[in-house]
Amino acid sequence: QIQLVESGGGLLQPGGSLSLSCTASGTTFSNYNMGWFRQAPGKEREFVAAISWNGGLSRSADSVKGRFTISRDNTKNTMYLQMNSMKPGDTAVYYCAAKQGLFTNSNSGYGNWGLGTQVTVSS
């Protein structure tokens, strides 16, 4: 099994920047495609960004495109989400997730999840 732990959440003002990390343990990190999701209170879970097992491919939701950047460092078993120009609408619990197999456009099939880290954007 793979275990995932998010970190880096916090409170910041609109327009600010924040970087999230997701550290994996328990098995070979590079075997997994990875993704970031978020969920605001009363709303459904939303896809944010995904990255292939070797970092060669990535995609992101239109709502964050141009502002958020997903990356990973397999030597550190860590995935990152650099968030810039943040908006109040970015407020949510952010989760990292792992997915085996080919990297596709599907936002389903993530079988392993972290417990989440809270990000609050407010003035």
Side-chain angles (χ1 to χ4, degrees):
Q1 295 185 2
I2 186 170
Q3 292 83 47
L4 305 173
V5 179
E6 303 94 339
S7 63
L11 174 65
L12 69 162
Q13 295 182 349
S17 297
L18 194 66
S19 181
L20 304 181
S21 298
C22 172
T23 299
S25 62
T27 190
T28 304
F29 180 58
S30 60
N31 287 344
Y32 294 85
N33 306 299
M34 299 293 296
W36 286 101
F37 294 78
R38 66 187 184 185
Q39 187 169 22
K43 294 187 176 181
E44 298 295 320
R45 185 180 62 195
E46 177 187 17
F47 168 77
V48 177
I51 189 166
S52 63
W53 68 271
N54 64 351
L57 298 171
S58 65
R59 62 187 184 91
S60 60
D62 289 342
S63 60
V64 306
K65 198 166 297 181
R67 299 188 298 120
F68 292 9
T69 302
I70 189 171
S71 63
R72 67 190 294 167
D73 185 345
N74 287 349
T75 68
K76 299 180 179 179
N77 292 339
T78 302
M79 176 181 65
Y80 306 94
L81 185 68
Q82 178 63 50
M83 304 183 291
N84 300 323
S85 301
M86 297 197 71
K87 306 173 181 179
D90 296 323
T91 296
V93 176
Y94 283 71
Y95 300 91
C96 67
K99 179 180 181 179
Q100 293 182 302
L102 297 175
F103 186 76
T104 71
N105 290 328
S106 174
N107 294 329
S108 63
Y110 290 86
N112 298 276
W113 297 80
L115 296 180
T117 184
Q118 177 70 50
V119 174
T120 302
V121 184
S122 176
S123 59

